[in-house]
Amino acid sequence: MSEDGVQWLAYEGLEGFWLLAARNISARELLGRVGCSGDELHLSWGDGTSLEVETRVTLLRSVTVGDWSVALGQYGPSGEAGRALDAAVRRASRGTDAVDISQTTNFDTFFAYASHERTLCTFDPLADAEPRGDQPDSVVPAMQRVGLLDSDGNPVEWDESPERDPMLLTLKMVEDCFSLSVPRTILADEVLTMRAPS
């Protein structure tokens, strides 16, 4: 079980990222649910990045950590996935829970929590941190604990300091609320890798 958490994603120098996680399914199943295609490869992050540059495709790498399988890609979601993030997390949540958090190279941000194909809570960490969805209160206590919302449930004004950075606070909330962790070794080890939906 990794204890790395997910906050390290904010400091790793990635050109954006897309993190999608689902509970109690395999890494392969997760990639299939979000529409990954092509061969199942086992690549290091560096080799995958080289392949992305050569072929102009986006890859998702997937591992299982405790109860969760996580898929991680750089640059943020693109193509159809980028236009329909809510649909991707709902598909991943079939019969389980799923979490989606992303930041594109243009600093478009997204968070969603879905369960059994229903979006319970979604918000935009940078542009609008007001939680929406079928059960937006499901993550409000965690959002308040980390400082995304004040005690009345209103979004807190943010700045670029680490203590008030909304994307970093959202990553912290994901750790707090879902006990989600992605091992840093995903950037070095050869892991299951497939072409992301385009």
Side-chain angles (χ1 to χ4, degrees):
M1 172 78 172
S2 167
E3 296 183 9
D4 292 338
V6 294
Q7 293 178 62
W8 63 267
L9 291 167
Y11 300 112
E12 202 56 48
L14 301 175
E15 296 184 52
F17 65 88
W18 181 20
L19 173 63
L20 184 63
R23 199 188 312 261
N24 296 325
I25 64 172
S26 71
R28 181 174 286 107
E29 174 72 11
L30 175 59
L31 293 179
R33 287 186 183 193
V34 298
C36 288
S37 61
D39 295 333
E40 292 183 7
L41 307 172
H42 285 81
L43 300 173
S44 68
W45 191 270
D47 290 341
T49 298
S50 296
L51 183 60
E52 287 175 315
V53 170
E54 289 171 19
T55 61
R56 297 180 182 261
V57 301
T58 300
L59 300 175
L60 282 178
R61 294 89 167 162
S62 191
V63 296
T64 300
V65 185
D67 293 340
W68 292 91
S69 283
V70 296
L72 180 65
Q74 64 180 330
Y75 314 118
S78 60
E80 189 62 34
R83 290 187 292 277
L85 283 170
D86 191 61
V89 73
R90 281 198 315 270
R91 285 194 310 272
S93 75
R94 189 175 68 245
T96 188
D97 295 328
V99 175
D100 190 326
I101 182 169
S102 64
Q103 177 176 301
T104 70
T105 54
N106 297 322
F107 293 94
D108 296 319
T109 60
F110 179 78
F111 166 82
Y113 165 46
S115 183
H116 299 272
E117 300 181 82
R118 290 176 53 221
T119 304
L120 301 187
C121 181
T122 184
F123 63 88
D124 182 329
L126 289 179
D128 183 3
E130 182 177 340
R132 294 176 171 79
D134 290 349
Q135 293 178 12
D137 291 345
S138 59
V139 299
V140 164
M143 291 177 76
Q144 290 173 317
R145 282 193 298 273
V146 301
L148 279 166
L149 301 177
D150 64 22
S151 58
D152 295 323
N154 300 310
V156 173
E157 194 170 318
W158 63 275
D159 57 41
E160 295 191 16
S161 67
E163 300 80 22
R164 300 284 295 277
D165 179 293
M167 199 59 191
L168 184 57
L169 293 176
T170 302
L171 290 166
K172 188 175 181 180
M173 185 270 296
V174 166
E175 291 176 358
D176 178 80
C177 192
F178 302 101
S179 300
L180 191 58
S181 184
V182 177
R184 284 179 185 254
T185 56
I186 198 170
L187 300 183
D189 294 347
E190 294 186 352
V191 301
L192 177 63
T193 303
M194 290 184 72
R195 180 178 181 159
S198 56

